[in-house]
Coordinates of all heavy atoms in Angstrom, one line a residue:
F130 N -60.7 36.8 98.6 CA -61.3 35.5 98.7 C -62.4 35.3 97.6 O -62.5 34.2 97.0 CB -62.0 35.3 100.1 CG -62.6 34.0 100.3 CD1 -61.8 32.9 100.5 CD2 -63.9 33.9 100.4 CE1 -62.3 31.7 100.7 CE2 -64.5 32.6 100.6 CZ -63.7 31.5 100.8
S131 N -63.1 36.4 97.2 CA -64.1 36.3 96.2 C -63.5 36.0 94.8 O -64.1 35.4 94.0 CB -65.0 37.5 96.2 OG -64.2 38.6 95.8
R132 N -62.2 36.5 94.6 CA -61.5 36.2 93.4 C -61.2 34.8 93.2 O -61.2 34.2 92.1 CB -60.3 37.1 93.2 CG -60.6 38.5 93.0 CD -59.5 39.5 92.9 NE -58.2 38.9 92.7 CZ -57.1 39.7 92.7 NH1 -57.2 41.0 92.9 NH2 -55.9 39.1 92.6
I133 N -60.9 34.1 94.3 CA -60.6 32.7 94.3 C -61.9 31.9 93.9 O -61.9 31.0 93.1 CB -60.0 32.2 95.6 CG1 -58.7 32.8 95.8 CG2 -60.0 30.7 95.6 CD1 -58.1 32.5 97.2
L134 N -63.0 32.3 94.5 CA -64.3 31.6 94.2 C -64.8 31.9 92.8 O -65.6 31.1 92.3 CB -65.3 32.0 95.3 CG -65.0 31.6 96.7 CD1 -66.1 32.1 97.6 CD2 -64.9 30.1 96.8
A135 N -64.3 32.9 92.2 CA -64.7 33.3 90.8 C -63.9 32.6 89.8 O -64.2 32.7 88.6 CB -64.7 34.8 90.6
T136 N -62.9 31.8 90.2 CA -62.1 31.1 89.2 C -62.9 30.0 88.5 O -64.0 29.6 88.9 CB -60.9 30.4 89.8 OG1 -61.3 29.4 90.8 CG2 -60.0 31.4 90.5
K137 N -62.4 29.6 87.3 CA -63.1 28.5 86.5 C -63.3 27.2 87.3 O -64.4 26.6 87.2 CB -62.4 28.3 85.2 CG -62.5 29.4 84.2 CD -61.9 29.1 82.9 CE -62.0 30.2 82.0 NZ -61.5 29.9 80.6
L138 N -62.3 26.9 88.1 CA -62.4 25.6 88.9 C -63.6 25.7 89.9 O -64.4 24.8 89.9 CB -61.1 25.3 89.6 CG -61.1 24.2 90.6 CD1 -61.4 22.9 89.8 CD2 -59.9 24.1 91.4
F139 N -63.6 26.7 90.6 CA -64.7 26.9 91.6 C -66.0 27.1 91.0 O -67.1 26.6 91.5 CB -64.4 27.9 92.7 CG -63.4 27.5 93.7 CD1 -62.0 27.8 93.6 CD2 -63.8 26.7 94.8 CE1 -61.1 27.4 94.5 CE2 -62.8 26.3 95.7 CZ -61.5 26.6 95.6
T140 N -66.1 27.7 89.9 CA -67.4 27.9 89.1 C -67.9 26.6 88.7 O -69.0 26.2 88.8 CB -67.2 28.9 88.0 OG1 -66.7 30.1 88.5 CG2 -68.5 29.1 87.2
L141 N -67.0 25.7 88.1 CA -67.3 24.4 87.7 C -67.7 23.5 88.9 O -68.7 22.8 88.8 CB -66.2 23.7 86.9 CG -66.4 22.3 86.4 CD1 -67.6 22.4 85.4 CD2 -65.1 21.8 85.7
L142 N -67.0 23.6 90.0 CA -67.4 22.8 91.2 C -68.8 23.2 91.7 O -69.6 22.4 92.1 CB -66.4 23.0 92.3 CG -65.1 22.2 92.1 CD1 -64.1 22.6 93.2 CD2 -65.3 20.8 92.1
G143 N -69.1 24.5 91.6 CA -70.4 25.0 92.0 C -71.5 24.6 91.1 O -72.6 24.2 91.5
A144 N -71.2 24.6 89.8 CA -72.2 24.2 88.8 C -72.5 22.7 88.9 O -73.6 22.2 88.7 CB -71.7 24.5 87.4
S145 N -71.5 21.9 89.3 CA -71.7 20.4 89.4 C -72.0 20.0 90.8 O -72.2 18.8 91.0 CB -70.4 19.7 88.9 OG -69.3 20.0 89.7
S146 N -72.2 20.9 91.7 CA -72.5 20.5 93.1 C -73.8 19.8 93.2 O -74.0 18.9 94.1 CB -72.4 21.7 94.0 OG -73.5 22.6 93.7
Y147 N -74.8 20.2 92.5 CA -76.1 19.5 92.6 C -76.0 18.0 92.1 O -76.5 17.1 92.7 CB -77.2 20.2 91.8 CG -78.6 19.5 91.9 CD1 -79.2 19.5 93.1 CD2 -79.2 18.9 90.8 CE1 -80.5 18.9 93.3 CE2 -80.4 18.3 91.0 CZ -81.0 18.3 92.2 OH -82.3 17.7 92.3
T148 N -75.2 17.8 91.0 CA -75.0 16.5 90.6 C -74.2 15.7 91.6 O -74.5 14.5 91.9 CB -74.2 16.5 89.2 OG1 -74.9 17.3 88.3 CG2 -74.0 15.1 88.7
F149 N -73.2 16.3 92.3 CA -72.5 15.7 93.4 C -73.5 15.2 94.5 O -73.4 14.1 95.0 CB -71.4 16.6 93.9 CG -70.6 16.0 95.0 CD1 -69.5 15.3 94.8 CD2 -71.0 16.2 96.4 CE1 -68.8 14.7 95.8 CE2 -70.3 15.7 97.4 CZ -69.2 14.9 97.1
Y150 N -74.4 16.1 94.8 CA -75.4 15.8 95.8 C -76.2 14.6 95.5 O -76.5 13.8 96.3 CB -76.2 17.1 96.1 CG -77.5 16.8 96.9 CD1 -77.4 16.5 98.2 CD2 -78.7 16.7 96.2 CE1 -78.6 16.2 99.0 CE2 -79.9 16.5 97.0 CZ -79.8 16.2 98.3 OH -80.9 15.9 99.0
L151 N -76.6 14.6 94.2 CA -77.5 13.5 93.8 C -76.7 12.1 93.7 O -77.4 11.1 94.0 CB -78.0 13.7 92.4 CG -79.0 14.9 92.3 CD1 -79.4 15.1 90.8 CD2 -80.3 14.6 93.1
I152 N -75.4 12.1 93.4 CA -74.7 10.8 93.3 C -74.0 10.4 94.5 O -73.5 9.2 94.5 CB -73.8 10.8 92.1 CG1 -72.6 11.8 92.3 CG2 -74.5 11.2 90.8 CD1 -71.5 11.7 91.3
H153 N -73.8 11.2 95.5 CA -72.9 10.9 96.6 C -73.3 9.7 97.4 O -72.5 9.0 98.0 CB -72.6 12.1 97.5 CG -73.6 12.3 98.5 ND1 -74.8 12.9 98.3 CD2 -73.6 12.1 99.9 CE1 -75.5 13.0 99.4 NE2 -74.8 12.5 100.4
M154 N -74.6 9.4 97.4 CA -75.1 8.2 98.1 C -75.8 7.2 97.2 O -76.4 6.3 97.6 CB -76.0 8.6 99.3 CG -75.3 9.3 100.4 SD -74.0 8.4 101.2 CE -75.0 7.4 102.3
A155 N -75.7 7.4 95.9 CA -76.4 6.6 94.9 C -75.6 5.4 94.6 O -74.5 5.3 94.9 CB -76.7 7.5 93.7
P156 N -76.3 4.5 93.9 CA -75.6 3.3 93.4 C -74.4 3.5 92.5 O -73.6 2.6 92.3 CB -76.7 2.5 92.7 CG -78.0 3.0 93.2 CD -77.7 4.4 93.6
I157 N -74.3 4.7 92.0 CA -73.2 5.0 91.1 C -71.9 4.9 91.8 O -70.8 4.7 91.2 CB -73.4 6.4 90.4 CG1 -72.5 6.5 89.2 CG2 -73.1 7.6 91.4 CD1 -72.8 7.6 88.2
T158 N -71.9 5.1 93.1 CA -70.7 5.0 93.9 C -70.2 3.6 93.9 O -69.0 3.3 94.0 CB -70.9 5.5 95.4 OG1 -71.9 4.7 96.0 CG2 -71.2 6.9 95.4
D159 N -71.0 2.6 93.7 CA -70.6 1.2 93.5 C -69.8 1.0 92.3 O -69.1 0.0 92.2 CB -71.8 0.3 93.6 CG -72.5 0.3 94.9 OD1 -71.8 0.6 95.9 OD2 -73.7 0.0 95.0
L160 N -70.0 1.8 91.3 CA -69.3 1.7 90.0 C -67.9 2.2 90.1 O -67.1 2.0 89.2 CB -70.1 2.4 88.9 CG -71.5 1.9 88.6 CD1 -72.2 2.7 87.6 CD2 -71.4 0.4 88.2
L161 N -67.5 3.0 91.1 CA -66.2 3.5 91.2 C -65.2 2.4 91.5 O -65.6 1.4 92.2 CB -66.1 4.6 92.4 CG -66.9 5.9 92.1 CD1 -66.8 6.7 93.4 CD2 -66.3 6.6 91.0
P162 N -64.0 2.5 91.0 CA -63.0 1.4 91.3 C -62.7 1.4 92.8 O -62.8 2.4 93.5 CB -61.8 1.8 90.4 CG -62.1 3.2 90.0 CD -63.5 3.5 90.1
D163 N -62.2 0.2 93.2 CA -61.9 0.0 94.6 C -60.8 1.0 95.1 O -60.9 1.4 96.3 CB -61.5 -1.4 94.9 CG -62.7 -2.4 94.8 OD1 -63.8 -1.9 95.0 OD2 -62.5 -3.6 94.5
I164 N -59.9 1.4 94.2 CA -58.8 2.3 94.6 C -59.4 3.6 95.0 O -58.9 4.3 95.9 CB -57.8 2.4 93.5 CG1 -56.6 3.2 94.0 CG2 -58.4 3.1 92.3 CD1 -55.6 2.3 94.8
A165 N -60.6 4.0 94.4 CA -61.2 5.3 94.7 C -61.9 5.3 96.1 O -62.2 6.3 96.6 CB -62.2 5.6 93.7
K166 N -62.1 4.1 96.7 CA -62.7 4.0 97.9 C -61.8 3.7 99.1 O -62.2 3.4 100.2 CB -63.8 2.8 97.9 CG -64.8 3.1 96.8 CD -65.7 1.9 96.7 CE -66.5 1.9 95.4 NZ -67.3 0.7 95.3
T167 N -60.5 3.8 98.8 CA -59.5 3.4 99.9 C -59.5 4.4 101.1 O -59.3 4.0 102.2 CB -58.1 3.3 99.3 OG1 -57.8 4.6 98.7 CG2 -58.0 2.2 98.3
N168 N -59.7 5.7 100.8 CA -59.9 6.6 101.9 C -60.8 7.7 101.5 O -61.2 7.8 100.4 CB -58.5 7.2 102.4 CG -57.8 8.1 101.4 OD1 -58.5 8.9 100.7 ND2 -56.5 8.0 101.3
I169 N -61.2 8.5 102.5 CA -62.2 9.5 102.2 C -61.8 10.6 101.2 O -62.7 11.0 100.4 CB -62.6 10.2 103.6 CG1 -63.9 11.0 103.4 CG2 -61.5 11.1 104.1 CD1 -65.1 10.2 103.2
W170 N -60.5 10.9 101.1 CA -60.1 11.9 100.2 C -60.2 11.4 98.7 O -60.6 12.2 97.8 CB -58.7 12.5 100.5 CG -58.8 13.2 101.8 CD1 -58.3 12.9 103.0 CD2 -59.5 14.5 102.0 NE1 -58.6 13.8 104.0 CE2 -59.3 14.8 103.4 CE3 -60.2 15.3 101.2 CZ2 -59.9 16.0 103.9 CZ3 -60.7 16.5 101.8 CH2 -60.6 16.8 103.1
T171 N -59.7 10.2 98.5 CA -59.8 9.7 97.1 C -61.2 9.5 96.7 O -61.6 9.7 95.6 CB -59.0 8.4 97.0 OG1 -59.5 7.4 97.9 CG2 -57.5 8.6 97.1
F172 N -62.1 9.1 97.7 CA -63.5 8.9 97.4 C -64.1 10.3 97.1 O -64.9 10.4 96.1 CB -64.2 8.3 98.6 CG -65.6 7.9 98.4 CD1 -66.0 7.0 97.5 CD2 -66.6 8.5 99.1 CE1 -67.3 6.6 97.3 CE2 -67.9 8.2 99.0 CZ -68.3 7.2 98.0
F173 N -63.8 11.3 97.8 CA -64.3 12.6 97.6 C -63.9 13.2 96.2 O -64.7 13.7 95.5 CB -63.9 13.6 98.7 CG -64.3 15.0 98.6 CD1 -65.7 15.3 98.9 CD2 -63.4 16.0 98.3 CE1 -66.1 16.6 98.7 CE2 -63.9 17.3 98.1 CZ -65.2 17.6 98.4
I174 N -62.6 13.0 95.9 CA -62.1 13.5 94.6 C -62.7 12.8 93.5 O -63.1 13.3 92.5 CB -60.6 13.5 94.6 CG1 -60.0 14.5 95.6 CG2 -60.0 13.7 93.2 CD1 -58.6 14.4 95.9
S175 N -62.9 11.4 93.6 CA -63.5 10.6 92.6 C -64.9 11.0 92.4 O -65.4 11.1 91.2 CB -63.4 9.1 93.0 OG -62.1 8.7 93.1
L176 N -65.7 11.2 93.4 CA -67.0 11.7 93.3 C -67.1 13.0 92.6 O -68.0 13.3 91.8 CB -67.8 11.7 94.6 CG -68.3 10.3 95.1 CD1 -68.9 10.5 96.5 CD2 -69.2 9.7 94.2
N177 N -66.3 13.9 93.0 CA -66.3 15.3 92.3 C -66.0 15.2 90.8 O -66.6 15.8 90.0 CB -65.3 16.2 93.0 CG -65.9 17.0 94.1 OD1 -66.9 17.7 93.9 ND2 -65.4 16.9 95.3
L178 N -65.0 14.4 90.5 CA -64.7 14.2 89.1 C -65.8 13.5 88.3 O -66.1 14.0 87.2 CB -63.4 13.4 88.9 CG -62.1 14.0 89.4 CD1 -60.9 13.1 89.3 CD2 -61.8 15.3 88.5
T179 N -66.5 12.6 88.9 CA -67.6 11.9 88.3 C -68.8 12.9 88.2 O -69.4 13.0 87.1 CB -68.1 10.7 89.2 OG1 -67.0 9.8 89.3 CG2 -69.3 10.0 88.5
A180 N -69.0 13.8 89.2 CA -70.1 14.8 89.1 C -69.8 15.8 88.0 O -70.7 16.2 87.3 CB -70.2 15.5 90.5
I181 N -68.5 16.2 87.9 CA -68.1 17.1 86.8 C -68.4 16.5 85.5 O -68.9 17.2 84.6 CB -66.7 17.6 87.0 CG1 -66.6 18.5 88.2 CG2 -66.2 18.3 85.8 CD1 -65.1 18.8 88.7
L182 N -68.0 15.3 85.3 CA -68.2 14.6 84.0 C -69.7 14.5 83.7 O -70.1 14.8 82.5 CB -67.5 13.2 84.0 CG -66.0 13.2 83.9 CD1 -65.5 11.8 84.0 CD2 -65.6 13.8 82.5
I183 N -70.5 14.1 84.6 CA -71.9 14.0 84.4 C -72.5 15.4 84.1 O -73.3 15.5 83.2 CB -72.6 13.4 85.6 CG1 -72.2 11.9 85.7 CG2 -74.1 13.5 85.5 CD1 -72.7 11.2 87.0
Y184 N -72.1 16.4 84.8 CA -72.5 17.7 84.5 C -72.2 18.2 83.1 O -73.0 18.7 82.4 CB -71.9 18.7 85.5 CG -72.2 20.1 85.2 CD1 -73.5 20.7 85.4 CD2 -71.3 21.0 84.6 CE1 -73.8 22.0 85.1 CE2 -71.6 22.3 84.3 CZ -72.8 22.8 84.5 OH -73.1 24.1 84.2
L185 N -70.9 18.0 82.7 CA -70.5 18.4 81.4 C -71.1 17.6 80.2 O -71.4 18.1 79.2 CB -69.0 18.4 81.3 CG -68.2 19.4 82.2 CD1 -66.7 19.2 82.1 CD2 -68.6 20.8 81.8
I186 N -71.3 16.3 80.4 CA -71.8 15.4 79.4 C -73.3 15.5 79.3 O -73.8 15.5 78.2 CB -71.3 14.0 79.6 CG1 -69.8 14.0 79.4 CG2 -72.0 13.0 78.6 CD1 -69.1 12.7 79.8
Y187 N -74.0 15.6 80.4 CA -75.5 15.5 80.4 C -76.2 16.8 80.8 O -77.0 17.3 80.0 CB -76.0 14.3 81.3 CG -75.5 13.0 80.8 CD1 -74.5 12.3 81.5 CD2 -76.1 12.4 79.7 CE1 -74.1 11.0 81.0 CE2 -75.7 11.1 79.2 CZ -74.7 10.5 79.9 OH -74.3 9.2 79.5
E188 N -75.9 17.2 82.0 CA -76.7 18.3 82.6 C -76.6 19.6 81.8 O -77.6 20.2 81.5 CB -76.3 18.5 84.0 CG -77.2 19.4 84.8 CD -76.8 19.6 86.2 OE1 -76.1 18.8 86.8 OE2 -77.3 20.6 86.8
Y189 N -75.4 20.0 81.5 CA -75.2 21.3 80.9 C -75.8 21.3 79.4 O -76.5 22.2 79.1 CB -73.7 21.7 80.8 CG -73.4 23.0 80.1 CD1 -73.7 24.2 80.7 CD2 -72.8 23.0 78.9 CE1 -73.5 25.4 80.1 CE2 -72.6 24.2 78.2 CZ -72.9 25.4 78.9 OH -72.7 26.6 78.2
P190 N -75.5 20.3 78.6 CA -76.1 20.3 77.3 C -77.6 20.2 77.3 O -78.3 20.9 76.5 CB -75.5 19.1 76.6 CG -74.3 18.8 77.3 CD -74.5 19.2 78.7
I191 N -78.2 19.5 78.2 CA -79.6 19.4 78.3 C -80.2 20.7 78.7 O -81.2 21.2 78.2 CB -80.1 18.2 79.2 CG1 -79.7 16.9 78.5 CG2 -81.5 18.3 79.5 CD1 -79.9 15.7 79.4
N192 N -79.6 21.3 79.7 CA -80.1 22.6 80.2 C -80.0 23.6 79.1 O -80.9 24.4 79.0 CB -79.2 23.0 81.4 CG -79.8 24.2 82.2 OD1 -80.7 24.9 81.7 ND2 -79.3 24.4 83.4
K193 N -78.9 23.6 78.4 CA -78.7 24.6 77.3 C -79.8 24.4 76.2 O -80.4 25.3 75.7 CB -77.3 24.4 76.7 CG -76.9 25.4 75.7 CD -75.4 25.2 75.4 CE -75.0 25.9 74.2 NZ -73.6 25.6 73.8
W194 N -80.1 23.1 75.9 CA -81.1 22.8 74.9 C -82.5 23.2 75.4 O -83.3 23.8 74.6 CB -81.1 21.3 74.6 CG -82.1 20.8 73.6 CD1 -82.1 20.9 72.3 CD2 -83.4 20.2 73.9 NE1 -83.2 20.4 71.7 CE2 -84.1 20.0 72.7 CE3 -84.0 19.8 75.1 CZ2 -85.3 19.4 72.7 CZ3 -85.3 19.3 75.1 CH2 -85.9 19.0 73.8
I195 N -82.8 23.0 76.6 CA -84.1 23.3 77.2 C -84.3 24.9 77.1 O -85.3 25.4 76.8 CB -84.3 22.8 78.6 CG1 -84.5 21.3 78.6 CG2 -85.5 23.5 79.3 CD1 -84.5 20.6 79.9
R196 N -83.2 25.6 77.5 CA -83.3 27.1 77.5 C -83.5 27.6 76.1 O -84.3 28.5 75.8 CB -82.1 27.7 78.1 CG -82.0 27.5 79.6 CD -80.7 28.1 80.1 NE -80.6 27.8 81.5 CZ -80.8 28.7 82.5 NH1 -81.2 30.0 82.1 NH2 -80.7 28.4 83.7
K197 N -82.8 27.0 75.1 CA -82.9 27.4 73.7 C -84.3 27.0 73.2 O -84.9 27.8 72.5 CB -81.8 26.7 72.9 CG -81.8 27.0 71.5 CD -80.7 26.3 70.8 CE -80.7 26.6 69.3 NZ -79.7 25.8 68.6
K198 N -84.8 25.8 73.5 CA -86.1 25.4 73.0 C -87.2 26.3 73.6 O -88.1 26.7 72.9 CB -86.3 23.9 73.4 CG -87.6 23.4 73.0 CD -87.5 22.9 71.6 CE -88.8 22.1 71.3 NZ -89.3 22.3 70.0
G199 N -87.0 26.6 74.9 CA -88.0 27.4 75.6 C -88.1 28.8 75.0 O -89.1 29.4 74.9
S200 N -86.9 29.4 74.7 CA -86.9 30.8 74.2 C -87.4 30.8 72.8 O -88.0 31.8 72.4 CB -85.5 31.4 74.3 OG -84.6 30.7 73.5
A201 N -87.3 29.8 72.0 CA -87.7 29.8 70.7 C -89.2 29.6 70.6 O -89.9 30.1 69.8 CB -87.1 28.6 69.9
D202 N -89.8 28.8 71.6 CA -91.2 28.5 71.6 C -92.0 29.7 72.0 O -93.1 30.1 71.5 CB -91.6 27.3 72.5 CG -91.1 26.0 71.8 OD1 -90.8 26.0 70.6 OD2 -91.0 25.0 72.6
S203 N -91.6 30.4 73.1 CA -92.4 31.5 73.7 C -91.5 32.5 74.2 O -91.2 32.6 75.4 CB -93.3 31.0 74.8 OG -92.5 30.2 75.7
P204 N -91.0 33.4 73.3 CA -90.0 34.4 73.8 C -90.5 35.5 74.7 O -89.7 36.1 75.4 CB -89.6 35.0 72.4 CG -90.7 34.8 71.5 CD -91.3 33.5 71.9
N205 N -91.8 35.7 74.8 CA -92.3 36.7 75.7 C -92.8 36.3 77.0 O -93.2 37.1 77.8 CB -93.5 37.5 75.0 CG -93.0 38.2 73.7 OD1 -91.8 38.6 73.7 ND2 -93.8 38.2 72.7
T206 N -92.8 35.0 77.3 CA -93.3 34.5 78.6 C -92.1 33.9 79.4 O -91.2 33.3 78.8 CB -94.3 33.4 78.4 OG1 -93.7 32.3 77.7 CG2 -95.5 33.9 77.7
P207 N -92.1 34.1 80.7 CA -91.0 33.6 81.5 C -90.9 32.1 81.7 O -89.9 31.6 82.1 CB -91.2 34.4 82.8 CG -92.6 34.7 82.9 CD -93.1 34.8 81.5
F208 N -92.0 31.5 81.5 CA -92.0 30.0 81.7 C -92.4 29.2 80.5 O -93.1 29.6 79.7 CB -93.1 29.6 82.8 CG -92.7 30.3 84.1 CD1 -93.4 31.4 84.6 CD2 -91.7 29.8 84.9 CE1 -93.1 32.0 85.8 CE2 -91.4 30.4 86.1 CZ -92.1 31.5 86.6

């Protein structure tokens, strides 16, 4: 079971889960096409895909930049 959870798909779902949490009741759901709201499964999959895209386009690069910037400014301090 742990090998399944260690796959790239589940790792990506885990990494984008906070984004999913933030958008699942947000106005961004109004931007989804009506076909994505026809039933709970299409809505769930659409929200997951949206969360993954937001994570890959915004959250991951910004997090990477912050970590790089932070380590360059003060390499000996944890914060």
Side-chain angles (χ1 to χ4, degrees):
F130 184 71
S131 63
R132 288 181 11 189
I133 293 171
L134 294 178
T136 62
K137 288 184 180 185
L138 173 64
F139 281 97
T140 303
L141 182 59
L142 287 173
S145 65
S146 65
Y147 183 67
T148 305
F149 179 87
Y150 166 73
L151 291 175
I152 68 169
H153 83 283
M154 294 296 283
I157 199 163
T158 59
D159 295 335
L160 300 175
L161 292 175
D163 288 335
I164 191 79
K166 300 175 195 175
T167 55
N168 69 39
I169 192 71
W170 292 110
T171 57
F172 186 65
F173 179 73
I174 291 169
S175 299
L176 279 179
N177 268 305
L178 291 175
T179 304
I181 289 169
L182 286 174
I183 291 171
Y184 172 77
L185 292 174
I186 293 170
Y187 296 107
E188 187 178 347
Y189 180 73
I191 291 170
N192 191 343
K193 192 173 164 183
W194 179 78
I195 289 171
R196 288 176 184 260
K197 183 178 174 183
K198 180 84 170 144
S200 65
D202 288 344
S203 53
N205 295 328
T206 59
F208 299 102

